[in-house]
Amino acid sequence: MSVNFEHFLYGGDYNPDQWLDHPDILKEDIRLMKQAHINTVSLGIFSWAKLEPAEGVYNFDWMEETIDRLYENGISVNLATPSGARPHWMADRYPEVLRVNEARQRALFGERHNHCYTSPVYREKVRRMNQKLAEHFDSHPGVILWHVSNEYMGECHCPLCQQAFRDWVKEKYHTIDEVNRRWNTAFWSHDYQSFDQIESPSSIGENSIQGLYLDWRRFVSYQTTDFCRAEIAALREAGAKKPVTTNMLYKSPWVNYFELADAVDIVSWDSYPFWHKGPESQTAVNAGMRHDVMRSMKGEPFLMMESCPGAMNWIPVSKLKRPGMLEASSLQAVAHGSDSVLYFQIRKGRGGYEKLHGAVIDHYGKEDDRTYQECCQVGADLEAIQRLHHSKVEASVAVVYDWENRWAVEASAGPRNENMYYREAVEKSYGAFRRQGVNVDVIDMTKSLEPYQVVAAPMVYMFRAGFEEKVRAFVERGGVFIMTYWSGVVDENDLCFLGGTPGGLMDVMGLRSTEIDALYEGEFNTLRVVDSAVSGEDEIAAGNLSDNVVRSEDKSGVWDSLNHDITYRCEHLCQLVDLRTAKSLFVYGEDFYAGTPALTVNCYGAGKAYYVCADAEQRFYDDVYARILKEAGIRRILEQEIPAGVEVSSRRSDKTEYIFIQNFNPVSVSFCPEAEAGEVIFGEVSEKMKPFSTVVLERRQAITEK
Ligand code: GLA
Ligand code: ZN
């Protein structure tokens, strides 16, 4: 189902349960929310103790009064199930709901997000609570969405989870011999004789079998998703009809969000970029990528369920958002496909861990507060661009970012145990595409490549089942595929491919990856373009270049525009390759592999396959990907040159395209969209764009991208 709320949701987490003895404040909240154009709040996320103060004793009155009051004032509710934090009485009476850590110690009561997902008691308590909430509130016209739990995370190693893991492994592999084969347990004589011996990875136990580790990660993700499904089933059994979401948190190593997304009706997530820590333009690229991951899971508009109106208090240094940053950051979410701007939180709590976390309403409590004023502005902005609500983002370019691959890359010993920089590698490819002013989807290996013309798959160390075939078919039918170093090394069980890498795709890539050189932090190599002037017989004769180096006559025009005097730096990892049918476009500049290929291209079927051999600097990706997109004929959203730090994105509904132009530089830049680019429906257009300003254009005549 495609969830459409008819307008942008604007508001955020609201915790009246912390203020029940302050009716004056609860009343004032409504006034201030309305003035800020707030139309939605997320309610009851951590309210279990107020909803069920003693076992089996439910008190929903305060919640009902709150929902009524909000509804009367035009404010809707995302109603939460409170499973993210349980009440004291439950932990006291049923210790099995408390989590056990990897060293097999059971937690005391405290914190949140720390219950056992397997515990039948916890599942039953949650089921009952969810059913009661659904029976009570689903039909309330003020309730528009179920917000199931909060940021599912973590893992539990209790005996119940161990047994569930063993059952899961047994169902997957059937016999213990098969487990031994898939996990290669002959290593260090770790063969299992029976399923009962299987234990989750632990620093005081088994930590040397990556196959076990990977399956444990998959199990934790499965079990968490199963818990989420059980929560939703409880709501539905009690007759709930409203759509369901759960808020994700992007970096989660515990849950494969591409899996969790299938369990919910609409994807939502909590966005907390570290603005002003580094250059805002780079933070914007990374923040944009995260929105795009969330959008790509369902290929539908998503919700930004949380973001911070002021400064977060959980980071080492709580830097204030500079004037205009909140607006830019909020509109960026919308530009990338969010149908909401929601905050954590509406009112700053008085005590507890988050009392100093940014909020719409400060402890001061009045409207002449900078953050509050900026929140009012964002609310007004969303009303001004209401017409583009629920429009879609279309991309003909995608980057692969895969949770399972990330687990596998990080768990493997070698070639760099300091940091493999997997996420950063994806961000570099993503950033290079974005700087060309095109929309980009971020997909995992289970997704189809067919909707795209160009796909980059950085560091796809592990080929998940079916990926190799997908890539082959994609290139064969004319797709442009970019793969990087450290790809196609292992299969789904982290077993190395025999007979050469990238496993199964050596013909498509036109090469074999032979060895990989790991560099210490601070060490570099260089990359230089193969110079048509010197790439001829001389260099080949000198042994610097193989016969496969691309000659000037083989090059299409786009590569000629590369400046041959520029060298680029690379670090961390340098893959050495043997060319088969591929041609070299760049070579290494230093070390014993100087002159050997560093960027290659191979024609396969109707398409092309590029291979980036080293962890190159961003400039390299920018220059190379610009040419790849040009060669592939990808249309940029705006044809004119875009200055650095200006982001261009678009959404589309039917025949109308909405173009967002955002200046993420803290200074003004000279940029004015051409008149024919579209009609200005938001922001000021002049010769310059102010710092953190946004312009939205409406282009009526659709230009087909595909
Ligand atoms: C998370 C949680 C919220 C709150 C915020 C603070 O995203 O979901 O409950 O703790 O962080 O930034
Ligand atoms: Zn457990």
Side-chain angles (χ1 to χ4, degrees):
M1 88 156 94
S2 172
V3 181
N4 186 349
F5 296 104
E6 321 264 289
H7 57 78
F8 286 116
L9 306 189
Y10 187 55
D13 282 25
Y14 182 44
N15 301 308
D17 38 325
Q18 293 177 28
W19 301 94
L20 292 179
D21 50 358
H22 285 80
D24 49 327
I25 286 193
L26 295 176
K27 200 166 153 219
E28 179 68 351
D29 283 344
I30 301 277
R31 189 183 72 81
L32 290 171
M33 283 196 253
K34 281 170 80 173
Q35 195 167 293
H37 309 268
I38 284 175
N39 57 33
T40 307
V41 298
S42 304
L43 191 69
I45 300 173
F46 297 110
S47 299
W48 201 326
K50 287 277 184 294
L51 294 169
E52 191 181 359
E55 187 169 12
V57 179
Y58 296 92
N59 175 12
F60 291 177
D61 294 350
W62 65 272
M63 183 170 262
E64 193 161 334
E65 280 161 30
T66 308
I67 298 176
D68 286 346
R69 191 169 53 239
L70 289 161
Y71 182 62
E72 282 156 19
N73 286 282
I75 301 170
S76 311
V77 169
N78 302 331
L79 190 57
T81 66
S83 63
R86 74 190 98 64
H88 221 308
W89 59 256
M90 196 193 298
D92 300 345
R93 173 128 194 238
Y94 308 102
E96 72 165 59
V97 303
L98 297 166
R99 214 170 258 186
V100 170
N101 68 15
E102 61 86 35
R104 310 313 193 236
Q105 298 158 315
R106 197 176 286 277
L108 302 177
F109 176 80
E111 296 291 335
R112 59 175 177 173
H113 302 149
N114 54 2
H115 39 269
C116 172
Y117 291 130
T118 307
S119 157
V121 170
Y122 198 59
R123 285 184 175 229
E124 176 56 17
K125 293 286 170 205
V126 169
R127 193 179 69 86
R128 267 195 228 166
M129 170 58 76
N130 290 9
Q131 289 191 331
K132 291 236 178 282
L133 286 171
E135 282 161 10
H136 228 89
F137 296 113
D138 187 74
S139 58
H140 197 296
V143 173
I144 56 169
L145 175 70
W146 287 99
H147 176 300
V148 172
S149 202
N150 191 68
E151 295 185 340
Y152 286 116
M153 63 169 82
E155 59 191 57
C156 175
H157 298 256
C158 79
L160 293 166
C161 287
Q162 299 295 347
Q163 193 49 49
F165 178 48
R166 283 174 205 130
D167 295 344
W168 182 91
V169 172
K170 194 164 187 181
E171 192 168 329
K172 184 166 181 186
Y173 300 117
H174 309 294
T175 67
I176 200 67
D177 288 346
E178 184 64 0
V179 174
N180 285 324
R181 201 176 65 75
R182 298 288 199 103
W183 293 356
N184 204 52
T185 53
F187 178 75
W188 287 348
S189 207
H190 286 200
D191 313 63
Y192 295 98
Q193 284 80 47
S194 81
F195 281 98
D196 302 337
Q197 296 165 322
I198 295 177
E199 280 275 338
S200 60
S202 167
S203 55
I204 56 164
E206 182 62 271
N207 240 346
S208 51
I209 304 287
Q210 269 95 59
L212 163 71
Y213 174 80
L214 262 180
D215 276 329
W216 169 251
R217 292 261 64 88
R218 290 179 178 126
F219 164 76
V220 171
S221 180
Y222 166 83
Q223 195 73 343
T224 310
T225 305
D226 185 63
F227 186 91
C228 174
R229 286 185 190 279
E231 284 216 42
I232 297 167
L235 295 172
R236 296 282 179 242
E237 278 158 24
K241 302 267 185 308
K242 305 278 164 70
V244 174
T245 193
T246 185
N247 53 333
M248 305 181 181
L249 77 161
Y250 180 70
K251 275 194 186 169
S252 162
W254 303 283
V255 190
N256 178 349
Y257 282 153
F258 280 86
E259 242 169 50
L260 186 59
D262 287 341
V264 296
D265 299 316
I266 181 167
V267 169
S268 68
W269 85 289
D270 304 340
S271 174
Y272 292 99
F274 290 10
W275 295 114
H276 314 301
K277 190 177 175 208
E280 286 81 4
S281 55
Q282 185 58 46
T283 309
V285 171
N286 295 348
M289 178 173 135
R290 293 161 193 209
H291 290 307
D292 289 349
V293 174
M294 298 297 154
R295 187 194 65 245
S296 303
M297 287 175 192
K298 281 195 184 292
E300 289 283 334
F302 62 94
L303 300 177
M304 179 165 72
M305 186 57 82
E306 292 179 26
S307 58
C308 185
M312 288 90 80
N313 73 328
W314 46 264
I315 52 176
V317 176
S318 302
K319 210 163 170 82
L320 292 179
K321 281 198 178 67
R322 271 44 197 161
M325 193 73 252
L326 179 68
E327 184 183 49
S329 182
S330 302
L331 293 179
Q332 188 193 25
V334 174
H336 285 252
S338 176
D339 271 354
S340 71
V341 172
L342 297 163
Y343 301 122
F344 180 88
Q345 52 185 334
I346 300 289
R347 180 182 279 276
K348 245 180 224 185
R350 279 199 87 180
Y353 180 70
E354 291 175 331
K355 66 182 186 295
L356 302 180
H357 191 284
V360 177
I361 307 170
D362 185 60
H363 298 137
Y364 165 57
K366 305 272 186 306
E367 51 255 71
D368 59 337
D369 167 81
R370 185 175 75 93
T371 300
Y372 179 79
Q373 290 298 326
E374 294 208 12
C375 290
C376 292
Q377 182 61 52
V378 175
D381 292 351
L382 292 178
E383 285 176 5
I385 56 170
Q386 200 55 253
R387 69 178 94 171
L388 62 89
H389 153 268
H390 209 61
S391 53
K392 301 272 170 73
V393 173
E394 289 178 2
S396 48
V397 171
V399 178
V400 175
Y401 180 56
D402 190 285
W403 252 260
E404 292 205 0
N405 182 53
R406 172 180 160 195
W407 294 331
V409 167
E410 288 170 2
S412 208
R416 281 186 108 256
N417 296 330
E418 291 186 342
N419 194 343
M420 293 290 286
Y421 297 102
Y422 171 52
R423 186 166 47 81
E424 290 79 357
V426 178
E427 285 169 357
K428 281 182 187 173
S429 284
Y430 173 86
F433 285 143
R434 287 290 314 162
R435 284 189 190 87
Q436 290 309 305
V438 298
N439 292 331
V440 182
D441 279 354
V442 186
I443 55 174
D444 78 349
M445 285 187 228
T446 65
K447 294 279 181 195
S448 168
L449 306 181
E450 294 311 306
Y452 308 104
Q453 285 170 258
V454 178
V455 174
M459 224 197 262
V460 276
Y461 160 74
M462 182 177 76
F463 279 177
R464 294 178 65 182
F467 187 64
E468 175 216 314
E469 293 79 1
K470 246 183 238 179
V471 172
R472 176 181 302 280
F474 174 71
V475 182
E476 212 154 44
R477 70 128 179 108
V480 175
F481 184 72
I482 309 166
M483 189 185 266
T484 76
Y485 56 95
W486 205 233
S487 285
V489 182
V490 299
D491 70 6
E492 284 209 301
N493 291 103
D494 204 61
L495 297 177
C496 292
F497 288 120
L498 305 178
T501 62
L505 286 182
M506 288 187 291
D507 58 334
V508 176
M509 303 313 296
L511 52 75
R512 176 169 85 82
S513 321
T514 55
E515 301 175 89
I516 189 156
D517 193 20
L519 278 54
Y520 286 101
E521 291 296 326
E523 282 190 322
F524 298 96
N525 202 320
T526 54
L527 309 171
R528 67 180 169 82
V529 64
V530 169
D531 192 335
S532 53
V534 294
S535 72
E537 307 308 324
D538 294 352
E539 285 233 346
I540 293 167
N544 288 342
L545 299 175
S546 82
D547 232 355
N548 278 327
V549 164
V550 69
R551 308 296 178 78
S552 51
E553 63 273 19
D554 297 330
K555 289 190 200 171
S556 63
V558 296
W559 296 100
D560 286 335
S561 62
L562 276 170
N563 183 342
H564 289 218
D565 298 330
I566 294 183
T567 56
Y568 299 87
R569 297 220 298 192
C570 63
E571 55 186 334
H572 307 132
L573 292 164
C574 297
Q575 181 86 57
L576 314 191
V577 300
D578 256 1
L579 297 187
R580 304 268 165 99
T581 51
K583 309 274 186 192
S584 181
L585 293 165
F586 273 80
V587 290
Y588 286 108
E590 319 287 333
D591 221 313
F592 78 93
Y593 42 91
T596 70
L599 172 70
T600 70
V601 59
N602 190 48
C603 293
Y604 181 86
K608 276 189 177 176
Y610 288 87
Y611 192 89
V612 179
C613 299
D615 187 354
E617 63 177 302
Q618 184 68 54
R619 223 164 33 99
F620 173 86
Y621 282 96
D622 292 350
D623 289 351
V624 165
Y625 282 27
R627 284 164 178 82
I628 293 176
L629 290 189
K630 196 160 183 203
E631 199 177 47
I634 303 294
R635 187 184 71 92
R636 295 154 55 129
I637 299 166
L638 292 180
E639 273 164 35
Q640 62 196 115
E641 270 310 302
I642 306 156
V646 172
E647 190 176 89
V648 181
S649 344
S650 70
R651 291 179 69 154
R652 182 196 291 266
S653 66
D654 296 326
K655 292 214 160 16
T656 310
E657 198 178 0
Y658 300 99
I659 301 167
F660 284 73
I661 309 165
Q662 298 201 272
N663 178 18
F664 282 103
N665 298 291
V667 293
S668 293
V669 291
S670 298
F671 185 73
C672 181
E674 286 160 357
E676 51 279 18
E679 183 197 331
V680 182
I681 59 164
F682 181 84
E684 276 171 42
V685 170
S686 67
E687 286 312 301
K688 282 184 180 281
M689 281 190 83
K690 293 194 185 122
F692 309 135
S693 65
T694 300
V695 168
V696 184
L697 308 178
E698 183 178 283
R699 178 148 68 195
R700 282 273 162 69
Q701 274 171 342
I703 299 172
T704 316
E705 276 186 17
K706 294 176 202 167

